[in-house]
Amino acid sequence: MTNNQPRIGTLSVWAGEEDKNFWQRSTQVPVVHSVSFGYHDLDEWYDVAVGNEPGHIYGRNTNPTVDAFEDKVRQLEGAEAATSFSTGMAAVSNTLYTFLKPGDRVVSVKDTYGGTNKIFLEFLPQLQIDVALCDTTDHEAIEAQIQKGCDLLYLESPTNPTLKVVDLARLAAAGHETGAIVVVDNTFATPINSNPLQLGADLVLHSATKFLGGHADALGGVICGPADLVHKIYHYREINGATLHPMAAYLLLRGMKTLHLRVRQQNESALRIAQFLHEHPFVENVYYPGLPFHENHDIAARQMHGFGGVLSFMLRGGFPAVRAMLPRLRYAHAAANLGAVETVAAPPRTSSHVESSPEEREAMGIPESLIRYSVGIEETEDLIEDLQQALRATAAEIEAGAAEIDNRSAPATAAASTD
Ligand SMILES: *Cc1c(COP(=O)(O)O)cnc(C)c1O
């Protein structure tokens, strides 16, 4: 037997599943569909209930299938402890509500996930919690806000949907100078591409719904970090009840066995697709941190092992072009999701930022002509050909539409001459 520390792809397969004592020696983690766990021995029951002995009492608190999922993510993130949630937003909200109280101050960035941004703008102010949202890539401005007082620094990298990358080591150090808890949403990068705890973050969280599960068939969330902090969050969640379902935990576990294979393929395809789109005349702008001219490419190259499977691009022709193009994509679900084995394409206005008003989206720098494109594990060439045909047809339709409007507004003689 080897004593070497397993590499991340081996952890994706085995972590959390090494225990050979599962039910009837099954090699796969069973889905334990049991709300409660029974004890004849009242002393043993008591010891488990108060946490002196390992074991399970009631499904809202813990469950063996859910435990295995938490342990897999914990090991991939190199953390001491992990706890899970029914959704990614439950991971975000439970973490914030565990630590924040009236009078506290949060520093974050404008480009957080749409739901997270709503908590900052709508729900935390109701509790007299002050929130400073900075321009995402203005590191000096973020540091200046941290110095004014910061109990919790909340970062996300790369961001959704414009793929900005923030310098996690630099900002975590700034946060710690004022004693802040530093939380990073690592959903877009995954532990394959980025390890925020190694860069100094205290807590790292995921919407497991996305890349971790990878098959768009289960919702879930998870947070990892030191045992004392994670236990506080666990306690909040067990009381508030946003528990991960054992069936979802099983689906996420199964999906995670191929995490490294999927993400490496998605990294490779996304870079090639971003280069293709960049050169296409109907594409106004491409956002992908792997492109050398992306505004945060240097930080991304330094702090990430791969640039991720999500990119976004702006079409010439505004929202009508988005409307015309999406149905033409053969190999992309037009849906509000990302990180799946299938390619998914969506405009932020109907997906990540549907909760935001057009004004809020504009303030966040999210153009209405943007398409977020989450690269699946299809063959790269098929995806590029698919984009090519959809762009060609859309450009033709938009130009024909523009010509028609020109004709309608032109004098009758000119219109007649085009017949
Ligand atoms: C989807 C997402 C969330 C929320 O996760 P749910 O599982 O949908 O609740 C949070 N952060 C990021 C970056 C996301 O993409």
Side-chain angles (χ1 to χ4, degrees):
M1 211 185 224
T2 170
N3 290 320
N4 294 340
Q5 185 57 28
R7 293 160 184 83
I8 199 151
T10 305
L11 286 177
S12 302
V13 179
W14 283 99
E17 306 192 39
E18 301 100 332
D19 187 352
K20 301 290 189 296
N21 292 320
F22 288 133
W23 187 70
Q24 301 278 336
R25 302 209 163 263
S26 67
T27 60
Q28 303 307 305
V29 175
V31 188
V32 181
H33 282 295
S34 185
V35 164
S36 54
F37 300 82
Y39 294 86
H40 292 301
D41 181 332
L42 292 189
D43 295 330
E44 187 190 358
W45 182 355
Y46 178 81
D47 282 341
V48 173
V50 297
N52 291 341
E53 290 292 330
H56 305 279
I57 296 290
Y58 186 64
R60 173 158 40 75
N61 309 70
T62 64
N63 167 285
T65 316
V66 171
D67 266 11
F69 164 73
E70 292 169 349
D71 197 40
K72 195 186 272 300
V73 185
R74 179 190 72 74
Q75 293 195 42
L76 287 172
E77 288 290 9
E80 193 182 1
T83 194
S84 61
F85 307 85
S86 51
T87 64
M89 277 314 301
V92 174
S93 60
N94 283 241
T95 299
L96 294 172
Y97 293 128
T98 295
F99 295 113
L100 295 170
K101 55 186 188 313
D104 280 353
R105 187 159 192 272
V106 177
V107 176
S108 188
V109 294
K110 286 184 182 162
D111 290 77
T112 51
Y113 176 73
T116 307
N117 191 259
K118 270 285 152 197
I119 295 186
F120 290 152
L121 295 176
E122 192 175 328
F123 294 110
L124 292 187
Q126 285 179 4
L127 303 173
Q128 284 76 51
I129 294 162
D130 185 24
V131 183
L133 299 185
C134 308
D135 278 345
T136 304
T137 54
D138 188 343
H139 288 76
E140 282 82 23
I142 301 170
E143 283 165 339
Q145 285 296 338
I146 292 170
Q147 277 153 20
K148 285 190 195 163
C150 176
D151 300 286
L152 190 144
L153 174 64
Y154 187 97
L155 301 170
E156 195 174 311
S157 182
T159 62
N160 185 4
T162 51
L163 289 310
K164 297 187 175 96
V165 177
V166 296
D167 189 331
L168 296 176
R170 172 174 170 180
L171 294 178
H176 287 151
E177 267 173 39
T178 62
I181 297 174
V182 180
V183 183
V184 176
D185 182 336
N186 200 29
T187 301
F188 268 50
T190 80
I192 307 299
N193 286 334
S194 178
N195 309 106
L197 298 180
Q198 287 173 20
L199 298 169
D202 298 304
L203 292 162
V204 57
L205 67 83
H206 288 270
S207 166
T209 315
K210 314 291 172 53
F211 287 97
L212 293 189
H215 292 68
D217 55 6
L219 293 159
V222 61
I223 192 155
C224 308
D228 57 338
L229 296 184
V230 169
H231 195 80
K232 284 184 185 153
I233 303 167
Y234 160 75
H235 179 59
Y236 186 92
R237 191 268 293 155
E238 69 166 329
I239 301 305
N240 284 273
T243 304
L244 181 63
H245 192 280
M247 189 64 213
Y250 173 79
L251 292 169
L252 297 171
L253 262 178
R254 186 167 71 166
M256 282 186 68
K257 293 182 200 204
T258 55
L259 178 68
H260 57 304
L261 301 179
R262 288 186 279 110
V263 171
R264 285 172 193 158
Q265 170 70 24
Q266 287 162 324
N267 286 342
E268 199 181 306
S269 283
L271 182 58
R272 286 185 48 203
I273 290 168
Q275 283 159 346
F276 160 77
L277 290 170
H278 169 66
E279 282 158 22
H280 198 286
F282 196 62
V283 174
E284 192 175 325
N285 210 344
V286 182
Y287 302 88
Y288 186 65
L291 293 173
F293 41 82
H294 180 279
E295 60 172 331
N296 311 125
H297 175 72
D298 292 349
I299 303 171
R302 204 167 58 231
Q303 102 183 353
M304 300 178 76
H305 316 301
F307 298 109
V310 184
L311 55 93
S312 60
F313 56 100
M314 269 170 81
L315 294 179
R316 297 192 194 281
F319 196 70
V322 174
R323 197 194 295 281
M325 177 166 169
L326 280 182
R328 291 196 157 96
L329 288 171
R330 181 174 174 194
Y331 300 121
H333 286 304
N337 190 26
L338 59 94
V341 289
E342 303 96 356
T343 295
V344 187
R349 91 141 102 165
T350 57
S351 59
S352 59
H353 290 72
V354 67
E355 298 96 344
S356 309
S357 65
E359 295 73 31
E360 283 169 344
R361 281 194 297 271
E362 197 186 324
M364 285 182 262
I366 300 171
E368 294 291 287
S369 67
L370 196 72
I371 294 180
R372 186 184 67 200
Y373 190 84
S374 169
V375 181
I377 61 167
E378 302 91 341
E379 297 280 354
T380 316
E381 284 71 21
D382 287 330
L383 295 178
I384 290 178
E385 283 169 19
D386 190 29
L387 284 161
Q388 203 153 25
Q389 63 79 22
L391 284 166
R392 189 186 307 124
T394 305
E397 184 184 317
I398 296 292
E399 274 153 32
E404 197 181 302
I405 291 163
D406 279 354
N407 288 348
R408 263 190 264 127
S409 56
T413 48
S417 68
T418 62
D419 283 344

